[in-house]
Amino acid sequence: MTTITGVDVHDVRFPTAAAGDGSDSINRGDYSATYVELTTDAGVTGTGFTFTNGQGNEITCAAVRALAPSLVGVSLSADPLAFLRSLTAHPQLRWIGPEKGALHMATGAVVNAVWDARAKLAGRPMWEYLASMSTSDLLACVDFRHISDALTPSEAAAILDRGLVGLDDRLARLRDEGFPSYTTSVGWLGYPDDKVRALTKQAYADGWRAMKMKVGGPIEDDVRRAAIIRSEIGPDALLMMDANQIWGVDEAIANMARLAEFDPYWIEEPTHPDDILGHAKIQEAVSPVRVATGEVAANRVIFKQLLQADAIRVMQVDACRVAGVPEVLAELLLAAKFGVPVCPHAGGVGLCELVQHIAIFDYLRVGTSLDGRMVEYVDHLHEHFTDPVRTREGRYLLPSRPGYSSDMVPASIDRFSFPGGPEWN
Amino acid sequence: MTTITGVDVHDVRFPTAAAGDGSDSINRGDYSATYVELTTDAGVTGTGFTFTNGQGNEITCAAVRALAPSLVGVSLSADPLAFLRSLTAHPQLRWIGPEKGALHMATGAVVNAVWDARAKLAGRPMWEYLASMSTSDLLACVDFRHISDALTPSEAAAILDRGLVGLDDRLARLRDEGFPSYTTSVGWLGYPDDKVRALTKQAYADGWRAMKMKVGGPIEDDVRRAAIIRSEIGPDALLMMDANQIWGVDEAIANMARLAEFDPYWIEEPTHPDDILGHAKIQEAVSPVRVATGEVAANRVIFKQLLQADAIRVMQVDACRVAGVPEVLAELLLAAKFGVPVCPHAGGVGLCELVQHIAIFDYLRVGTSLDGRMVEYVDHLHEHFTDPVRTREGRYLLPSRPGYSSDMVPASIDRFSFPGGPEWN
């Protein structure tokens, strides 16, 4: 029995804003991590983080400190649902969520650190650790409160049991081919046209056949940039568009009518992330273009409704905005129930490292299909992780080291710590 | 032209948890305020706060500090929408919301402090300050992005213009009668049965004809407590029930079937606050009992959908969970458009002081009816405010001092400051 003995949190910020990397219609910041280290009496350190955009990272760090008393002294083999609710339904802290915003993001960081420690103790990469769990052990982690009207435990059990059939074949396929992905590195709003063209050419040459561009600037600019990218990638490669929530509902519909000539594969975050009904209206209007969202969807209750309302046809769960592995599991199960493919959100700091495990586990045990599945890939900041993602011709290769690939390089933590690290001093 | 010169924030906590005051099926805490003081070069200090439940108040305080650089040097007469978006659409901070959780609550505190300063400079209580503004000045404060599919600026203008007709008569009526309210002080879950009975008797004797009880414990306990209260107040007084989000959707429907015999006027927070579709399903099932929610509804996009989906028949907007006066104004206008009465959430620390202004303004200028309108009243902690609410026979009397009634007594701030104040030392 292993017990959590301490919680450390680091405010780590990378100065990305100046270069325009990560810039879109809403966000322009310094990619940052609220980085958590859980020490245990077994000597293993569990790590987890939530991604933020620079300013405000001190707020999520404060939220981790507020959660710490609920962690220290807890056994890693404690009842997983009771442990999860001690954080998500904390009788005082819950008020400043509930299950959303800074507090919930911090919850994601610490819950993932617990799961990282578990996988390390088991000596397995997270995807393999999860895929090898029994159906009942997996279900014991899921909080069905507030989602059981859409997915019952017995339906979830059936999905996970079915996932055992053919698992070895699917794993062999992944070992052979890697996991499909797409790149977001070509079309940030902060990039001038010639940089977009050059990056698109390069990505295509590197084997990428699915690329995402940011939209949501003046519509004429969006049209011009879409034309550049489509002309470089030809008619067969996929072009995804991402509005980062800037549009109103009717505006999204009107703008997508303008952009339809470039054959978008999906429109991501067309409007406010809380607007279930708005997404449903947009999905109906832009079909067969898919509506995709999820990177800032607060929790499983939002995802439940997006699926119930046929508001999305691609689910872009984030690994650490929600309450870590167990809430992601709930969301994968919901997606499987409704037949919607999961294409996890990545980029940021370390998100690619996390979500590769989610996508692989989803294919092996939950969704069991690669049809329409792609993991986002952004070529930033991987050098700061001890087990960085590896890609080959636009596909992720299977991670093999124990844990959730979330360990940051100690020298990077020191250098980029805010405000005291040498990078910021 | 008056400019903001400084931002102070105080972590103020009152030790209410021990007494069971404020206890319900989800929350048990120490009622607290993230209390903001904005100094100005006109000598006026604007105050605002957000209410929290104890632990976590340091997180919302950290969020106020993160917002402070966007406030200092800003003119109180700056373009109100641009100012609001500088906070709600901050290019870095927005990521840890957006428009929800700790950051948005802190935004509510600082925005209300700005409006408090404006009303003080105008020498008017907030309700009067707002009611006297022109339609165009009011509309200039509202962010219609993400709600204009449900409420256009011209529809909002028509509502506010209509609100000018008969305004003097409505004001005369309020001066004469006060504003209707109901009490929540009788039925906290932490209270034993005999205390519930005694408090109910006393409240009825004091003139209250609308009372709210907490539900969401074991259903047999809820039934027993409901029977006690109904037997004390007779068949004509209103009995509201509040589940504080604990139920799943189907569970809420089943439990309300059990509680129907006590003729509930509304069921408040029957399930998760993000669950628009769930509330709609519950509303359809429990009708004619009204579904009510709003105290933790994150923003105007959530309220918009609750109205679009006919998911609530009572809107319980909170004064400082959303982004202060301008977002509340958006929500009042949405409610008026959809014909749903607003019964603001109060209690906590200072919420009664704030929402009386909202309800009065709503009656005078937006909703223009008292039908089904009641302000929550909880008899806690008013002594810590310099302009506390006054009630007479279950009705709020009109506040008359300039500002938003949000100034806390300096000695209370000192005594209850956490962790350094004498109460906590």
Side-chain angles (χ1 to χ4, degrees):
Chain A
M1 189 174 117
T2 302
T3 299
I4 299 168
T5 53
V7 181
D8 267 338
V9 60
H10 302 268
D11 183 339
V12 183
R13 307 191 188 188
F14 300 95
T16 53
D21 300 342
S23 59
D24 59 47
S25 61
I26 288 280
N27 310 292
R28 175 176 289 258
D30 293 314
Y31 278 7
S32 300
T34 295
Y35 183 74
V36 174
E37 294 176 315
L38 293 184
T39 51
T40 67
D41 60 6
V44 164
T45 298
T47 63
F49 54 84
T50 197
F51 164 63
T52 80
N53 213 7
Q55 291 172 48
N57 201 39
E58 75 282 7
I59 301 170
T60 41
C61 286
V64 167
R65 286 185 205 100
L67 292 165
S70 300
L71 296 163
V72 176
V74 171
S75 164
L76 290 186
S77 50
D79 172 42
L81 181 56
F83 167 71
L84 182 65
R85 286 189 178 168
S86 76
L87 307 174
T88 60
H90 186 290
Q92 298 199 16
L93 292 172
R94 187 179 186 279
W95 184 261
I96 65 167
E99 298 181 271
K100 57 178 67 71
L103 179 66
H104 207 51
M105 295 169 76
T107 303
V110 302
V111 169
N112 280 342
V114 167
W115 281 79
D116 176 61
R118 286 186 183 137
K120 284 173 176 164
L121 283 164
R124 292 179 156 182
M126 184 62 75
W127 63 264
E128 185 181 285
Y129 177 65
L130 292 171
S132 68
M133 283 174 71
S134 71
T135 290
S136 60
D137 283 351
L138 284 166
L139 288 184
C141 307
V142 173
D143 193 346
F144 284 94
R145 184 191 288 173
H146 298 137
I147 60 169
S148 59
D149 56 312
L151 176 74
T152 65
S154 63
E155 289 171 330
I159 291 168
L160 290 169
D161 282 342
R162 273 199 306 272
L164 292 167
V165 179
L167 191 153
D168 291 343
D169 293 341
R170 289 192 292 280
L171 179 54
R173 180 175 176 189
L174 287 189
R175 289 201 191 283
D176 193 41
E177 301 177 5
F179 199 98
S181 75
Y182 71 90
T183 178
T184 307
S185 293
V186 304
W188 298 107
L189 274 197
Y191 291 173
D193 287 359
D194 55 350
K195 185 168 181 177
V196 169
R197 187 182 296 276
L199 288 169
T200 303
K201 267 187 210 291
Q202 185 62 50
Y204 195 87
D206 290 344
W208 298 97
R209 291 297 176 271
M211 314 201 188
K212 190 161 81 185
M213 64 175 291
K214 299 294 180 176
V215 294
I219 186 66
E220 297 306 333
D221 290 354
D222 293 341
V223 166
R224 192 185 67 253
R225 292 153 48 85
I228 291 171
I229 297 175
R230 179 54 81 194
S231 75
E232 292 295 335
I233 66 178
D236 295 334
L238 302 182
L239 173 57
M240 289 87 98
M241 297 179 179
D242 182 358
N244 287 89
Q245 317 160 28
I246 191 89
W247 294 328
V249 173
D250 299 325
E251 191 182 12
I253 293 169
N255 286 335
M256 288 311 295
R258 286 291 307 279
L259 290 162
E261 65 173 302
F262 305 106
D263 190 21
Y265 179 72
W266 75 47
I267 175 62
E268 177 172 335
E269 293 203 305
T271 191
H272 197 287
D274 297 343
D275 198 347
I276 315 295
L277 302 178
H279 281 84
K281 185 174 173 187
I282 295 166
Q283 178 62 80
E284 187 176 13
V286 306
S287 188
V289 176
R290 297 151 186 81
V291 169
T293 198
E295 70 184 58
V296 301
N299 54 51
R300 68 201 179 289
V301 177
I302 296 290
F303 281 113
K304 174 187 78 167
Q305 295 175 85
L306 288 167
L307 293 164
Q308 288 175 315
D310 187 22
I312 55 171
R313 301 209 178 134
V314 176
M315 181 197 274
Q316 299 179 300
V317 67
D318 183 277
C320 50
R321 179 175 288 271
V322 300
V325 169
E327 190 163 4
V328 168
L329 176 56
E331 287 150 5
L332 298 181
L333 289 163
L334 282 163
K337 160 85 183 281
F338 285 88
V340 167
V342 177
C343 296
H345 169 243
V349 177
L351 299 182
C352 298
E353 276 67 23
L354 297 184
V355 299
Q356 59 181 339
H357 293 274
I358 293 172
I360 294 165
F361 166 69
D362 182 53
Y363 174 56
L364 293 178
R365 191 71 190 278
V366 188
T368 67
S369 167
L370 290 182
D371 189 29
R373 272 74 172 181
M374 289 174 281
V375 177
E376 184 165 17
Y377 178 75
V378 183
D379 188 15
H380 287 154
L381 306 173
H382 302 293
E383 66 274 21
H384 302 297
F385 289 83
T386 63
D387 182 24
V389 294
R390 297 169 303 138
T391 59
R392 189 180 61 205
E393 292 182 356
R395 298 174 89 91
Y396 279 78
L397 304 183
L398 265 63
S400 59
R401 287 170 61 170
Y404 208 176
S405 305
S406 48
D407 288 358
M408 210 176 263
V409 173
S412 294
I413 300 173
D414 291 343
R415 177 174 166 198
F416 294 98
S417 278
F418 186 88
E423 182 73 23
W424 296 104
N425 246 328
Chain B
M1 189 174 116
T2 302
T3 299
I4 299 167
T5 53
V7 182
D8 267 339
V9 61
H10 302 269
D11 182 340
V12 184
R13 306 190 189 189
F14 301 95
T16 53
D21 300 343
S23 59
D24 58 47
S25 61
I26 289 279
N27 310 292
R28 176 177 286 260
D30 293 315
Y31 278 5
S32 302
T34 295
Y35 183 73
V36 174
E37 294 176 316
L38 292 184
T39 52
T40 67
D41 60 5
V44 165
T45 298
T47 65
F49 54 85
T50 196
F51 164 63
T52 80
N53 213 7
Q55 292 172 47
N57 202 37
E58 76 282 8
I59 301 170
T60 39
C61 287
V64 167
R65 287 185 204 99
L67 292 166
S70 301
L71 296 162
V72 176
V74 171
S75 164
L76 292 185
S77 49
D79 171 42
L81 182 56
F83 167 71
L84 182 65
R85 287 189 177 169
S86 76
L87 306 175
T88 60
H90 187 290
Q92 297 200 16
L93 292 171
R94 187 178 185 278
W95 184 261
I96 66 167
E99 297 180 273
K100 58 177 67 68
L103 178 66
H104 206 51
M105 295 169 76
T107 304
V110 302
V111 169
N112 279 341
V114 167
W115 282 80
D116 176 61
R118 285 187 184 137
K120 283 173 175 165
L121 283 165
R124 293 181 154 182
M126 184 62 73
W127 63 264
E128 184 181 287
Y129 177 65
L130 291 171
S132 68
M133 283 174 71
S134 71
T135 290
S136 60
D137 283 351
L138 285 167
L139 288 184
C141 307
V142 173
D143 192 347
F144 284 94
R145 184 193 287 176
H146 298 137
I147 60 169
S148 59
D149 56 314
L151 177 74
T152 64
S154 62
E155 289 171 328
I159 291 168
L160 290 168
D161 282 343
R162 273 200 305 273
L164 292 167
V165 179
L167 191 154
D168 291 344
D169 293 341
R170 289 191 292 280
L171 179 54
R173 181 175 174 189
L174 287 189
R175 290 201 189 281
D176 193 40
E177 300 177 5
F179 199 97
S181 75
Y182 70 92
T183 177
T184 307
S185 294
V186 304
W188 297 108
L189 274 197
Y191 290 173
D193 287 0
D194 56 350
K195 184 168 181 177
V196 170
R197 188 182 297 276
L199 288 169
T200 304
K201 269 187 207 293
Q202 187 61 52
Y204 194 86
D206 290 344
W208 298 97
R209 291 298 176 267
M211 315 202 188
K212 190 162 80 186
M213 65 175 291
K214 299 293 180 175
V215 295
I219 185 67
E220 297 306 333
D221 289 354
D222 293 343
V223 166
R224 192 185 67 253
R225 292 152 49 85
I228 291 171
I229 297 175
R230 178 56 78 195
S231 75
E232 292 295 336
I233 66 178
D236 294 334
L238 301 182
L239 173 56
M240 289 88 98
M241 297 179 179
D242 182 358
N244 288 90
Q245 318 159 26
I246 190 91
W247 294 329
V249 174
D250 298 327
E251 191 182 11
I253 293 169
N255 286 335
M256 288 311 295
R258 286 291 307 279
L259 291 162
E261 65 174 301
F262 306 106
D263 190 21
Y265 180 72
W266 75 49
I267 175 61
E268 177 173 335
E269 292 202 307
T271 192
H272 197 287
D274 298 343
D275 199 346
I276 314 296
L277 302 177
H279 281 84
K281 185 174 172 187
I282 296 166
Q283 178 61 80
E284 186 175 13
V286 305
S287 188
V289 177
R290 298 153 185 80
V291 170
T293 199
E295 71 184 56
V296 300
N299 54 51
R300 70 202 178 286
V301 177
I302 297 290
F303 281 112
K304 174 187 77 166
Q305 295 175 84
L306 288 167
L307 294 164
Q308 287 174 316
D310 187 22
I312 56 171
R313 299 208 180 135
V314 177
M315 182 197 273
Q316 299 179 300
V317 69
D318 183 276
C320 49
R321 180 173 287 271
V322 300
V325 169
E327 189 162 4
V328 169
L329 176 56
E331 287 149 7
L332 298 180
L333 288 163
L334 282 163
K337 159 84 184 280
F338 285 87
V340 167
V342 177
C343 296
H345 169 243
V349 177
L351 299 181
C352 299
E353 277 66 22
L354 297 184
V355 298
Q356 59 182 339
H357 292 273
I358 292 171
I360 294 164
F361 165 69
D362 182 52
Y363 175 55
L364 293 178
R365 190 72 190 276
V366 188
T368 66
S369 167
L370 289 182
D371 189 28
R373 272 72 171 182
M374 290 173 281
V375 176
E376 183 165 18
Y377 178 75
V378 183
D379 188 16
H380 288 155
L381 306 174
H382 302 293
E383 66 274 22
H384 302 297
F385 289 83
T386 63
D387 183 23
V389 293
R390 298 169 301 138
T391 59
R392 189 178 61 205
E393 294 182 355
R395 300 175 87 90
Y396 280 79
L397 304 183
L398 266 62
S400 59
R401 287 170 60 171
Y404 207 176
S405 304
S406 48
D407 288 357
M408 211 176 264
V409 173
S412 294
I413 300 173
D414 291 344
R415 177 174 164 200
F416 294 97
S417 278
F418 186 89
E423 183 72 23
W424 296 103
N425 246 326

